[in-house]
Amino acid sequence: MKLRLCVGICGILILFSCNRGRVMPAELQQLDSLAEAEPARAMSLLDSLAEKYDNADEAEFYKYRLLCIKAKAKAYIPIDGEKQIKEIARYYMGKPLCMEQIEALYYLGGFYRDGHDYPRAIENYRAAVERAGSDKRLSQSTTVACCYAQLAGLNLKLSRMDKALEYAKKEHEIFQAICPDDIVKELDIAKTYRYCGKKDSASIYYTRALNLIAKDSARQHFSETAEILYFYSTYSRKSAADSCAAILRTARTTDLPANAWGAMGVYHNAFGDRDSAVYYLKLQYEHPRNWLDRKNCASALFRHYKQAGQWELATQYAEAYDAACDSMEIENRREATLNADNFFQYTVAAKAEAEKEKADFLQNLLLWFTIIICSTACTMLIVGYHLFKKRMKKMEMDMLQQRHVLGKDTGTMVSVFKKLQETIQNGRGINDVVSWSEIEQCVEIECPDFSERVRSSNLTAEETQICYLARIGMRKTEIGTLLKLSPSTVTRRVQSLTEKGVL
């Protein structure tokens, strides 16, 4: 019984080990490495093994098909159809987590990206990095770093700058651990910072890339140097731009890539050498990489010849600019027809969300503005009400005081003047008609400043009486009669009071 059990277990182990060996034969391992280094040669060898692996077991069959797609992708050949890569991805999704699963999702995302179906491309790239996150070895792999690079690029296309920068940083972090001296990866993070408007951070990584180019053979990196030169020329950083231009000058002009001609044109234009700028711009215009190059060069050349007054050439490049714009528009329309429904639904949703956020912001701003205006208006009304109330109360008190004083039949200065004249005519005494307190109150009500001046002058009783009678309007002879003084005495007193500034 024990012997049979041991034999059974050994048989199972042998079968299991054989099965594992068939999942990844040595030749498939070699082809996997070859697809990274020499994709064209790997494609040729894979084609020669097609019949063998068409009849292989399931694991070897799907590994072979995945390697075929990988070699094509490394050789920049588009995937033939969605069905094949989806079938491979579906197979590996049903297996335990492995590198093949991450690669299948990555190439499926690439298929959707090439078809401009950005939502599904993002979905597959994110699925790849999320699944790899549970395995440290996978999460720090080149494939995951490439997924982050694609996510950064797609988010840039959709103008989602924060997300693009987040993914670019993760890509750079992984590649720094794998290959710290990779010039291309330094340029990738630098470009992302530049597109996001963070030129100071971009400058740090462009400088790192330039230092790596200086250590390596500069002749192998003219295209990368041109990109750095374009950045430093655009932002007028002359010393760094001079270093880049010196590297590009080591090659013959005709050996430079098209973007190097354009960068040299921007460099010379930025620092005042217009003739050299035109020379390089014409080179790129005649041998552009794409319609965008031709459009930009035509625009720059049009401005140059317009400023120089050479209208025939300016018109020629203006027409070339229009033609380039038309060609770009046609190309964009053609690309937009691919998976238009999904792409437009995604962009419309993103636009609607952005408009909603903007509307919410404006609504909140309007609400706070209304609250501030209402609060200010209420405060002003309250303050104005209290000031108005205080003023009305003062006016009421003044009227009551005036009514109280005048209500004692004291009258005004005119009535007192008439009473005093009657006193003189009838030969009666002043106190028989009016009292001195009544005269003083009458003058104080109608001429408060005069009464204050009299009180503050330290006058005698006689001088005070003369002042009040003179203020009422009595003549000197009348004052003398009322106070029983001679006219000359009254004249002297009046003169003295005038000199003191009382009258």
Side-chain angles (χ1 to χ4, degrees):
M1 182 68 181
K2 291 182 178 179
L3 180 60
R4 290 180 180 177
L5 180 61
C6 290
V7 171
I9 292 172
C10 289
I12 292 171
L13 291 174
I14 291 169
L15 288 172
F16 179 73
S17 63
C18 292
N19 184 56
R20 286 179 61 86
R22 287 196 298 271
V23 170
M24 189 62 169
E27 66 179 357
L28 289 181
Q29 292 181 3
Q30 293 171 359
L31 287 168
D32 197 348
S33 301
L34 190 63
E36 294 279 355
E38 300 179 60
R41 186 181 169 197
M43 287 171 59
S44 177
L45 291 172
L46 285 165
D47 287 342
S48 67
L49 297 171
E51 186 176 348
K52 175 182 176 180
Y53 285 99
D54 280 347
N55 300 316
D57 70 353
E58 189 179 55
E60 293 179 3
F61 172 74
Y62 281 107
K63 177 64 179 179
Y64 169 80
R65 294 176 69 186
L66 179 61
L67 284 176
C68 291
I69 288 174
K70 183 175 182 178
K72 285 185 177 181
K74 294 295 182 181
Y76 302 102
I77 298 174
I79 299 171
D80 296 334
E82 180 181 11
K83 183 179 179 181
Q84 181 183 12
I85 183 60
K86 282 189 75 173
E87 185 180 341
I88 295 170
R90 190 180 301 113
Y91 168 76
Y92 282 112
M93 290 293 283
K95 300 295 178 182
L97 181 63
C98 59
M99 179 55 73
E100 287 78 11
Q101 186 180 116
I102 305 304
E103 288 180 341
L105 289 169
Y106 171 72
Y107 293 120
L108 181 58
F111 172 80
Y112 290 128
R113 178 206 61 209
D114 293 340
H116 299 274
D117 188 351
Y118 297 149
R120 283 202 281 185
I122 290 173
E123 179 184 348
N124 282 281
Y125 288 133
R126 289 184 62 181
V129 298
E130 287 170 3
R131 286 176 176 274
S134 59
D135 187 316
K136 186 175 181 181
R137 180 181 63 87
L138 295 179
S139 64
Q140 296 299 310
S141 65
T142 303
T143 305
V144 171
C146 291
C147 286
Y148 281 126
Q150 295 299 330
L151 284 168
L154 290 172
N155 278 281
L156 277 176
K157 285 180 179 290
L158 297 171
S159 300
R160 300 168 69 178
M161 299 306 180
D162 292 340
K163 281 289 184 184
L165 196 54
E166 176 188 344
Y167 290 128
K169 287 179 180 178
K170 290 179 179 178
E171 175 210 357
H172 187 263
E173 180 183 344
I174 296 172
F175 275 118
Q176 277 292 94
I178 298 172
C179 45
D181 294 335
D182 192 326
I183 297 168
V184 175
K185 300 313 167 190
E186 297 295 337
L187 291 177
D188 283 348
I189 187 71
K191 283 190 289 188
T192 306
Y193 273 113
R194 176 162 63 91
Y195 294 148
C196 293
K198 301 181 182 294
K199 63 180 181 180
D200 292 333
S201 298
S203 179
I204 294 171
Y205 292 99
Y206 277 123
T207 302
R208 287 186 188 178
L210 186 59
N211 291 336
L212 291 173
I213 290 171
K215 291 179 183 178
D216 201 355
S217 175
R219 295 182 65 84
Q220 298 176 4
H221 303 289
F222 288 142
S223 183
E224 292 82 358
T225 305
E227 184 179 332
I228 302 171
L229 174 62
Y230 179 83
F231 171 79
Y232 284 125
S233 300
T234 302
Y235 291 104
S236 301
R237 300 189 179 181
K238 192 172 189 306
S239 58
D242 289 341
S243 301
C244 297
I247 292 173
L248 296 179
R249 288 194 187 102
T250 60
R252 292 185 304 172
T253 301
T254 53
D255 292 338
L256 290 174
N259 69 322
W261 298 331
M264 289 293 283
V266 173
Y267 166 74
H268 286 292
N269 189 57
F271 301 112
D273 189 352
R274 297 295 176 86
D275 293 336
S276 297
V278 170
Y279 168 72
Y280 284 108
L281 286 170
K282 281 185 175 179
L283 279 177
Q284 190 181 22
Y285 173 79
E286 292 166 2
H287 306 282
R289 295 170 299 174
N290 48 42
W291 285 106
L292 181 61
D293 276 0
R294 176 156 289 194
K295 178 179 79 75
N296 292 337
C297 291
S299 175
L301 290 167
F302 163 73
R303 290 196 302 271
H304 170 77
Y305 286 116
K306 179 183 177 183
Q307 187 175 1
Q310 300 181 36
W311 296 106
E312 185 176 348
L313 287 170
T315 303
Q316 174 187 331
Y317 286 109
E319 292 173 351
Y321 175 84
D322 290 339
C325 289
D326 291 341
S327 298
M328 288 177 65
E329 184 180 351
I330 292 167
E331 182 69 15
N332 289 336
R333 282 204 301 267
R334 185 188 68 78
E335 292 178 357
T337 59
L338 302 173
N339 296 292
D341 291 339
N342 288 329
F343 177 66
F344 286 137
Q345 286 174 10
Y346 189 84
T347 52
V348 167
K351 184 178 180 181
E353 183 179 354
E355 290 179 350
K356 183 177 180 300
E357 289 178 359
K358 183 178 179 181
D360 291 343
F361 172 76
L362 292 175
Q363 186 176 358
N364 291 333
L365 185 65
L366 181 61
L367 177 62
W368 280 107
F369 182 74
T370 305
I371 291 172
I372 292 170
I373 292 294
C374 291
S375 301
T376 305
C378 290
T379 303
M380 292 178 66
L381 285 172
I382 292 170
V383 171
Y385 171 74
H386 283 290
L387 290 174
F388 176 75
K389 189 175 179 181
K390 185 176 180 181
R391 184 177 178 185
M392 292 300 294
K393 187 174 181 180
K394 185 176 182 302
M395 290 176 64
E396 184 179 355
M397 293 296 293
D398 290 344
M399 290 177 66
L400 288 173
Q401 183 178 3
Q402 189 172 2
R403 287 174 185 172
H404 175 72
V405 172
L406 296 179
K408 294 180 179 179
D409 197 23
T410 56
T412 63
M413 289 198 325
V414 175
S415 61
V416 171
F417 176 78
K418 290 180 178 178
K419 289 180 181 181
L420 290 174
Q421 282 190 329
E422 291 176 0
T423 300
I424 294 170
Q425 291 174 0
N426 297 330
R428 299 170 62 186
I430 188 171
N431 292 325
D432 295 338
V433 180
V434 292
S435 65
W436 279 109
S437 61
E438 184 178 348
I439 295 172
E440 290 174 359
Q441 286 179 359
C442 179
V443 173
E444 186 171 0
I445 290 171
E446 297 195 24
C447 306
D449 293 340
F450 178 78
S451 297
E452 182 64 27
R453 191 163 65 247
V454 171
R455 284 196 296 270
S456 63
S457 298
N458 296 321
L459 303 178
T460 62
E462 184 180 275
E463 289 176 333
T464 301
Q465 291 173 350
I466 291 172
C467 285
Y468 280 116
L469 291 172
R471 186 60 183 170
I472 289 172
M474 305 301 292
R475 290 178 295 180
K476 294 176 183 177
T477 54
E478 293 173 336
I479 293 172
T481 302
L482 290 170
L483 298 180
K484 297 182 172 50
L485 296 173
S486 65
S488 59
T489 301
V490 173
T491 300
R492 287 197 303 273
R493 296 282 190 277
V494 169
Q495 185 177 357
S496 175
L497 291 169
T498 303
E499 290 174 356
K500 288 180 181 181
V502 180
L503 290 176

